[in-house]
Amino acid sequence: MIYLILAILCSAGVSIFMRASEKYCQGHYGILLMNYVVCVLAGLILTGRGLTQTDGKGMPVTIVFGVVTGLLYCGSFILLQWNVRKNGVILSSTFMKLGVIVPAVLAVVWFGERPGWNQGLGFILAITAILMIHLEKGKIRTEKAYTIGLLLLLLGGGLGDSMAKFYDVYGNPGLGSFFLMLSFLVSGIISGILVFRGREKITKYEVLFGVLIGIPNYFSARFLLWALADIPAVITYPTYSIAAMALIGAVGVLMFREKLTKRQWGAYLLVILAVGLLNM
């Protein structure tokens, strides 16, 4: 459970530093590139230690999973930006969060996990809370939404998160750090291409926030991978998603002076109940 808690804290840290960077960073991909550079460096350090403890068995599988995961990570970010432009931030962030449905369903259908009634109810409450927090009545116009783009965002983000479980089952645990390093390397290469194509400038702020975001970003993935080795995915993924969301909301209110509606306060109470049910 400690790894799951650490993963939640790191995941929340990524969003908090990303929120803080909005005032200073102007480009779309510069901060993303620097974040991946930090992730790759962290992965290289830990991979070197890990490779000395394994005979390299399972390397081809690790490479395949690493490349696919990196493509899904960066592809989801690009899809998120496209959807924000076409569908607005409310719908886009909602469907991104709803991506938790994908790994939860795969845990049951593909990996044969069987949640209890409390986990099932907790999952339903978690999805309800996500919808309540992000969808305010009268503030969106679904008739103008690009539905396919939203569904691709949900699917892509969900599959990207699911790769940790697939690697936990089919990969070599001793190469876990190499798997993550390769995932971030692929994402970093794509981000670098986008920075070069857009002629974005990398300022000191992109470097600073890239480091602040990259460190928790890497360790959120690392801790999540360790958590999946001990806790069923059908519990891990929903808890990881909504607990981080609740923590981000609390920091938003206390640090950034954001205002929550009564509907959103009610949703956060559902989050607390959902986390409790999922971990009973």
Side-chain angles (χ1 to χ4, degrees), residues 157-205:
L159 285 175
D161 291 338
S162 301
M163 294 307 293
K165 177 61 179 179
F166 277 96
Y167 185 79
D168 176 64
V169 173
Y170 299 111
N172 181 351
L175 294 173
S177 295
F178 180 72
F179 156 69
L180 292 177
M181 186 275 294
L182 187 57
S183 302
F184 289 122
L185 178 61
V186 171
S187 297
I189 291 173
I190 297 173
S191 300
I193 293 172
L194 293 173
V195 168
F196 178 77
R197 194 179 75 169
R199 298 181 179 180
E200 291 187 14
K201 293 182 179 180
I202 306 296
T203 70
K204 61 181 179 181
Y205 293 114

Side-chain angles (χ1 to χ4, degrees), residues 76 79-80 83-84 87-103 127 130-131 134-135 140 142 145-159 161 241 245:
S76 296
L79 270 172
L80 177 60
N83 274 284
V84 167
N87 297 307
V89 68
I90 297 176
L91 272 179
S92 300
S93 59
T94 300
F95 273 77
M96 189 71 176
K97 293 295 184 183
L98 288 175
V100 71
I101 294 173
V102 177
I127 298 301
I130 291 172
L131 293 172
H134 292 281
L135 297 184
I140 58 173
T142 56
Y146 289 68
T147 307
I148 294 179
L150 290 169
L151 292 176
L152 286 174
L153 178 62
L154 184 153
L155 185 62
L159 285 175
D161 291 338
S241 179
M245 184 178 67

Side-chain angles (χ1 to χ4, degrees), residues 221-241:
R222 177 72 268 190
F223 289 135
L224 180 63
L225 197 58
W226 281 332
L228 286 166
D230 299 321
I231 305 173
V234 74
I235 297 174
T236 301
Y237 282 113
T239 303
Y240 173 73
S241 179

